[in-house]
Amino acid sequence: MDEAPEFSGKALDALRQPLESGHVVVARSGGVVRLPARFLMVLAANPCPCGRHTLLGVGCECPSSVIRRYQARLSGPLLDRVDLRIEVEPVSRSDLLGHGTGGESTATVADRVLEARQRAAARLEGTPWTVNSEVPGHELRTRWTVAPGALGAAERDVERGLLTARGLDRVLRIAWTIADLAGRDRPEAQDVALALELRTGIARGVPAAAGAVR
């Protein structure tokens, strides 16, 4: 959904229930129908209506009240169901002109993702789930635990009100995915820290490559 804040608030909040449960319930006078609705949602948004609020050296013409109202269109309950929040930096002149260093090929990344999914599937064999995103938070906290002490930063964020119970569950799922990508048997402190950074947008001093690349 490009320019997500431009969508109706009612339309956006209607996504909350299917994001949480993976199905939609339609109730009418003639009966109730439950339909599958498991999907991957990607939201893209500018920081303000003009799009220049956070760019250095470029003036933003939007009043602060307009910026707050624009950003508030993505409600807290909806954002609480978004696993990853990434601020995209402006493209540099070098990258735009093709002078930057090349990244990994799609095939290389796809191989690593496939291997990570295979690790998750093997761990979850014999359960109703096949990928980390499907595992209930209770199971992640009791059945598949992280390394001792790895949840320290997450627990502090919960106590400070920076992370909800739902958010903690999603951090655990992200941490397991990071560990699977890195080939580790279970998440370590750096995996949880990176998951928290991706979840909250607050820098934790962990390089992104630490949990994603061997």
Side-chain angles (χ1 to χ4, degrees):
M1 302 174 66
D2 195 15
E3 296 291 351
E6 299 294 349
F7 285 80
S8 160
K10 290 183 178 179
L12 290 171
D13 283 337
L15 298 172
R16 288 159 47 185
Q17 188 265 338
L19 277 172
E20 191 75 19
S21 64
H23 63 263
V24 171
V25 177
V26 181
R28 294 292 185 269
S29 59
V32 178
V33 178
R34 174 173 168 170
L35 302 172
R38 187 169 295 281
F39 57 94
L40 177 66
M41 183 178 72
V42 180
L43 301 173
N46 281 315
C48 67
C50 79
R52 298 192 296 266
H53 177 53
T54 59
L55 301 185
L56 297 178
V58 180
C60 171
E61 301 174 354
C62 303
S64 58
S65 60
V66 172
I67 295 173
R68 288 195 300 270
R69 186 163 57 249
Y70 182 80
Q71 295 179 349
R73 292 179 185 175
L74 299 178
S75 68
L78 174 63
L79 292 177
D80 201 27
R81 290 165 170 82
V82 176
D83 292 339
L84 310 178
R85 304 175 192 176
I86 300 174
E87 184 173 345
V88 180
E89 299 293 336
V91 179
S92 67
R93 181 179 63 179
S94 177
D95 290 334
L96 187 62
L97 298 177
H99 301 320
T101 58
E104 293 179 296
S105 67
T106 300
T108 299
V109 176
D111 288 342
R112 188 164 66 248
V113 170
L114 177 59
E115 186 176 344
R117 289 179 70 92
Q118 290 172 341
R119 290 179 64 87
R123 181 173 62 252
L124 299 172
E125 186 176 2
T127 74
W129 318 292
T130 57
V131 293
N132 295 325
S133 62
E134 298 174 348
V135 184
H138 174 74
E139 298 290 336
L140 290 175
R141 293 191 298 271
T142 59
R143 186 171 179 179
W144 291 287
T145 57
V146 301
L151 277 180
E155 292 170 351
R156 289 192 293 272
D157 277 9
V158 171
E159 292 174 355
R160 294 161 59 192
L162 298 177
L163 197 65
T164 64
R166 180 184 291 109
L168 177 60
D169 290 347
R170 292 179 180 272
V171 164
L172 285 171
R173 295 187 186 110
I174 297 168
W176 270 105
T177 297
I178 293 171
D180 287 335
L181 286 167
R184 286 189 273 275
D185 292 333
R186 61 178 176 174
E188 299 176 358
Q190 61 177 340
D191 301 320
V192 176
L194 179 54
L196 282 169
E197 183 170 331
L198 293 171
R199 167 76 185 179
T200 65
I202 301 174
R204 309 284 171 157
V206 181
V213 183
R214 296 181 185 179

